[in-house]
Amino acid sequence: MRSRLLPAGALAAAVVAAVLAGGCGPGDDWSRPRVKPTAIGALAPGFSDPDTPPTPEATITPRPGSWNGVRPPEGYRVVLLTAGQDPQTRTLVNSVTEWAEQNDVSLKTVTAAKPDQYIPRISHAMDLAPDLVISAGNDLVDPLSMVTPNHLGQQFLVVGAELAEPTENVTAADWTGASFRGEGLGMSSTYDPATFTPERAARAVRAGVAAVLTGLTGIVIWLD
């Protein structure tokens, strides 16, 4: 059987199409620019009041499961920024990793092993130019409070904790028992490591990402 040669114009178009298709998948090396990703699906009633959107630093308590209809586009670029080896942090990290696998998210992990690495690792995470940085680990709360106000163009999601005074680019998802807000404020009396279950951590990741994807940022999402 003789092979058919494509005309030069058609061949060029095929190459461009292949590049664009490959540039948004999980194997994307993040080297190519692209348009800002948008959410697939929509929030269900009960996530927030559409007539009165939450203001920055507000706390909302969404109806359970109201975020389930929202997912990221394939190849959504996320950096998992993590510090600490305590069981709570490991649970959060596992939840982010599983969520990324289930949603064809392009995930890179940046780990800070000791305090003098926290701010440099945050800077490295931003240098990767992800769509979202997800932070897991109480040790990162204070460093993030120092860095994030100066980088409003980068979206952050803090899971299992929150910043005391978040700017519009920092969203948090936590619950009773996961209320760490920084060393200066200390541990809340309600802090309970036993509440960091895989199921609750998974809900925090999904609800938090849904909020970011739909533009509800700079708020605290409080889960039951």
Side-chain angles (χ1 to χ4, degrees):
M1 180 181 296
R2 293 193 307 172
S3 61
R4 297 178 58 191
L5 296 177
L6 290 174
L11 179 60
V15 170
V16 170
V19 168
L20 291 175
C24 62
D28 181 14
D29 65 3
W30 299 18
S31 63
R32 290 179 291 274
R34 60 176 182 168
V35 297
K36 181 180 178 180
T38 56
I40 296 175
L43 294 168
F47 189 88
S48 65
D49 184 352
D51 296 326
T52 309
T55 58
E57 298 189 43
T59 298
I60 65 171
T61 305
R63 182 174 60 80
S66 57
W67 52 82
N68 287 342
V70 177
R71 62 185 177 87
E74 182 181 355
Y76 189 59
R77 297 171 180 174
V78 173
V79 169
L80 169 57
L81 177 65
T82 180
Q85 291 297 318
D86 54 278
Q88 303 93 277
T89 299
R90 291 200 300 271
T91 296
L92 296 171
V93 167
N94 290 339
S95 293
V96 174
T97 302
E98 291 173 3
W99 163 81
E101 292 174 349
Q102 294 165 0
N103 289 275
D104 293 323
V105 167
S106 183
L107 182 69
K108 297 183 179 182
T109 300
V110 174
T111 302
K114 50 188 179 179
D116 64 357
Q117 295 180 348
Y118 295 160
I119 290 180
R121 294 301 192 195
I122 295 172
S123 296
H124 177 56
M126 292 189 295
D127 287 343
L128 294 171
D131 299 317
L132 178 64
V133 175
I134 301 181
S135 172
N138 288 345
D139 290 340
L140 291 166
V141 168
D142 286 323
L144 284 170
S145 295
M146 298 173 60
V147 175
T148 54
N150 300 314
H151 299 276
L152 298 179
Q154 175 62 65
Q155 290 296 327
F156 291 83
L157 171 64
V158 180
V159 289
E162 61 185 86
L163 305 194
E165 296 182 2
T167 43
E168 63 193 41
N169 58 323
V170 182
T171 305
D174 56 4
W175 55 86
T176 301
S179 49
F180 183 75
R181 301 177 69 201
E183 293 294 343
L185 298 175
M187 291 289 188
S188 166
S189 60
T190 63
Y191 186 82
D192 182 3
T195 65
F196 284 74
T197 63
E199 186 274 336
R200 188 173 282 113
R203 284 193 287 132
V205 173
R206 293 178 183 277
V209 172
V212 173
L213 283 169
T214 55
L216 297 174
T217 61
I219 62 173
V220 176
I221 300 160
W222 196 259
L223 304 172
D224 294 332

